[in-house]
Amino acid sequence: MNARKVIDLMDDLAIFVYVVQSGGFSSAAQILDVTPSAVSKQISRLEKNLGVKLLIRNTRTMRLTDVGQEILLQAQSMLQAAQAVQQVANNSM
């Protein structure tokens, strides 16, 4: 996987975490200051690139698939690592 694809994957995984943690596409979009359709497109791209379905969703509900739950745990670890990096930088100022 080339560097650009890894960066795109990390971005999409971060969006995925926000969708799950906030409970939906609209809530995540508000947090991220983007449109719900932009969030939806990124989740669709993530599912396509990974070749798996992460969320089962309809107009009223959303739930994680089994693989979605596993990927969520890894994605949350990725975000925690990024937050730790930011904390190190903040502490060095």
Side-chain angles (χ1 to χ4, degrees), residues 34-72:
V34 297
T35 65
S37 65
V39 171
S40 179
K41 286 177 187 176
Q42 282 192 270
I43 297 300
S44 294
R45 179 175 75 179
L46 177 60
E47 290 177 327
K48 180 182 176 192
N49 288 340
L50 293 176
V52 295
K53 192 84 170 153
L54 301 171
L55 299 166
I56 298 170
R57 54 194 181 269
N58 61 37
T59 56
R60 302 182 128 239
T61 62
M62 175 189 77
R63 66 181 173 88
L64 288 165
T65 63
D66 289 341
V67 71
Q69 180 64 46
E70 291 179 45
I71 290 172
L72 175 65

Side-chain angles (χ1 to χ4, degrees), residues 81-92:
Q83 290 167 342
V85 166
Q86 185 65 58
Q87 188 64 42
V88 168
N90 291 345
N91 289 341
S92 70

